[in-house]
Amino acid sequence: MHFHEDMDKTKADGAKWLHVDIMDGHFVPNMSFGYAWVKSMRKITDLVLDVHLMIDTPIKYAEEFCKAGADYLTIHVEADTPENVMATLEKIRSLGVKPGIVVKPKTPAEAIAPYLDKVDLVLVMTVEPGFGGQKFMADQMDKVAQLREWVDDINPDCHIEVDGGVDANTCAVCKESGADVLVAGSAYFKATDRTAF
Ligand code: ZN
């Protein structure tokens, strides 16, 4: 109920991006925001809106999220057929938004290899998607390092992002493994000194 205020505080604390988790109740059991929410956020912040679609068949919804004001729009490789995943990434790009691809913990890095030259962001989940406050899965760091190596070869401007269980302790290993964008939810909002976080 204090979203506007929290967004401003987050910016003042040094955040450069806002990561928005969109859940549909199908791809993940939980539900969260929709287009209208992203549109409202766009009106009140100039921070980068990094929208993570945890939804099935994102090709049906990508355009609306692009129009709503996402800067990055990231889709799950597990959420559709390879043909549709490719088509969705191309559609996002054609609408002037930066496309991203994301893998769940049990999905190997190889699954997103065909898309690495088509995206501006690769997201590695370090918890099972769908709920906040889960424990960081350090075994995903090999995947981050592998993807960093591949991306540096073929698409060096592409970001590698880590999402899930990132806190003041786990952030270092993410960076060392090659991630350059770290998403923190629970750890940041529960920190006694958010600026220090
Ligand atoms: Zn996310």
Side-chain angles (χ1 to χ4, degrees):
M1 294 300 105
H2 299 278
F3 224 81
H4 193 164
E5 199 184 315
D6 273 338
M7 285 167 69
D8 288 345
K9 279 187 192 159
T10 305
K11 184 180 177 182
D13 287 346
K16 297 191 176 66
W17 294 20
L18 286 173
H19 182 85
V20 190
D21 283 328
I22 308 288
M23 310 184 208
D24 65 354
H26 292 278
F27 183 74
V28 290
N30 213 347
M31 291 179 90
S32 69
F33 318 120
Y35 319 124
W37 193 268
V38 175
K39 208 171 171 181
S40 301
M41 290 176 84
R42 178 76 293 159
K43 282 183 192 153
I44 58 170
T45 187
D46 57 1
L47 286 172
V48 172
L49 287 183
D50 170 29
V51 178
H52 173 191
L53 297 185
M54 293 185 236
I55 67 175
D56 277 329
T57 54
I59 197 157
K60 291 185 194 164
Y61 310 98
E63 187 167 354
E64 286 302 321
F65 280 104
C66 289
K67 284 185 189 161
D71 292 298
Y72 286 82
L73 191 62
T74 301
I75 62 166
H76 270 270
V77 71
E78 305 90 352
D80 212 333
T81 62
E83 295 73 22
N84 279 355
V85 167
M86 191 64 91
T88 312
L89 296 173
E90 283 165 0
K91 187 169 190 174
I92 295 168
R93 170 92 59 209
S94 76
L95 291 163
V97 173
K98 296 181 172 85
I101 188 85
V102 43
V103 270
K104 295 205 279 190
K106 288 183 186 127
T107 306
E110 286 74 13
I112 56 168
Y115 312 104
L116 294 181
D117 60 342
K118 302 277 186 283
V119 295
D120 292 314
L121 183 141
V122 166
L123 170 53
V124 176
M125 293 295 304
T126 38
V127 298
E128 283 300 329
F131 295 92
Q134 298 181 64
K135 197 173 174 296
F136 178 78
M137 298 165 77
D139 60 355
Q140 296 301 305
M141 291 301 103
D142 289 348
K143 195 190 283 178
V144 171
Q146 176 67 81
L147 286 163
R148 170 50 71 197
E149 212 179 299
W150 290 344
V151 160
D152 279 352
D153 265 356
I154 59 167
N155 186 5
D157 292 333
C158 179
H159 294 293
I160 306 264
E161 180 177 52
V162 169
D163 184 10
V166 175
D167 62 22
N169 298 314
T170 57
C171 62
V173 70
C174 297
K175 206 175 161 196
E176 282 159 19
S177 304
D180 64 310
V181 181
L182 308 183
V183 178
S186 308
Y188 167 75
F189 286 104
K190 287 179 185 165
T192 41
D193 182 359
R194 291 181 179 178
T195 324
F197 184 85

